[in-house]
Amino acid sequence: MKYNMSNMMCLGVYLSDLSEEEYTQVQTKMKPSEAIPMPLLSWDIFSHHFFKIREDLKIENDIKIVKTFAKQNHWKNEIDVIFKNQDFEALIITDSEQNIIWVNDGFSKMTGYSKAFAVNKKPYFLQGNDTSEQTKNRIRKGLTGIKPFKEVLTNYRKDKSPYECEVKIIPLYNEKVTHFLAIEKSIG
């Protein structure tokens, strides 16, 4: 079989869409050729696939950590249901007094603040001049209830730049509400 760039690109696209199990089955049938240089485009496809897998693993790990907190605190919430079809960048867990006890890496990426800086602070340290008082009041009212709620507010990164943030807040409970989970993403 004569190899050319278009054959190699097609192979690269095909391989990037395989599951790990399918790739393992096909891998044994592939034989590298010393005469054919690897086209740069196939590396681009591979790197895109690699970074997608890496992001998916980060999300899975974040959810596992939330499940660990759930087990330790005997929360009755169904964590898998909470995260079903959720798109998020940042996760924050606070205690019932809204003191941050954990944030994921996405929080640091989104805000510029380190995990160590955020822990033991209240999330309102992210708010500033353009954060709506009405929105802050709705959030305070929502925190007194036992139902999940969603708001969009203006927060500020460490560098003082504003960003619009959609936050979904879920009360976490055993016999009573003991913690809150904030699922956040920047919008616009």
Side-chain angles (χ1 to χ4, degrees), residues 4-159:
N4 61 37
M5 285 300 255
S6 86
N7 287 349
M8 294 301 290
M9 282 190 337
C10 290
L11 179 61
V13 170
Y14 170 74
L15 293 174
S16 70
D17 271 348
L18 296 178
S19 69
E20 286 184 51
E21 182 179 325
E22 292 168 327
Y23 182 80
T24 302
Q25 291 172 354
V26 172
Q27 185 180 21
T28 60
K29 297 175 185 172
M30 295 187 305
K31 294 184 178 143
S33 171
E34 297 175 10
I36 299 163
M38 183 63 99
L40 185 58
L41 184 57
S42 67
W43 286 111
D44 291 343
I45 293 168
F46 171 77
S47 68
H48 173 74
H49 182 69
F50 171 78
F51 287 115
K52 170 79 171 105
I53 289 172
R54 194 172 93 181
E55 287 305 310
D56 290 348
L57 289 173
K58 284 182 184 179
I59 289 168
E60 285 179 30
N61 189 55
D62 289 343
I63 294 169
K64 282 181 186 177
I65 291 170
V66 173
K67 287 180 177 182
T68 300
F69 277 105
K71 188 174 181 178
Q72 291 170 349
N73 292 285
H74 309 287
W75 295 332
K76 294 182 179 180
N77 304 75
E78 294 182 47
I79 303 302
D80 288 326
V81 172
I82 290 172
F83 284 105
K84 186 174 184 176
N85 300 321
Q86 283 294 342
D87 180 27
F88 64 87
E89 293 172 62
L91 295 177
I92 302 169
I93 296 178
T94 66
D95 63 17
S96 60
E97 301 298 316
Q98 290 88 49
N99 297 302
I100 296 172
I101 62 169
W102 176 79
V103 297
N104 69 341
D105 289 336
F107 171 87
S108 296
K109 186 175 178 183
M110 186 169 75
T111 67
Y113 288 102
S114 70
K115 291 177 167 189
F117 181 86
V119 171
N120 294 320
K121 291 186 176 46
K122 296 184 187 279
Y124 60 72
F125 80 87
L126 296 166
Q127 298 169 3
N129 292 337
D130 290 335
T131 307
S132 161
E133 284 299 321
Q134 293 87 357
T135 303
K136 290 194 285 188
N137 288 335
R138 286 193 303 271
I139 290 172
R140 279 192 283 275
K141 184 177 179 185
L143 291 170
T144 64
I146 58 170
K147 292 185 179 182
F149 63 95
K150 177 171 71 171
E151 287 291 338
V152 174
L153 73 156
T154 302
N155 274 343
Y156 289 81
R157 295 178 185 91
K158 185 177 180 181
D159 68 5

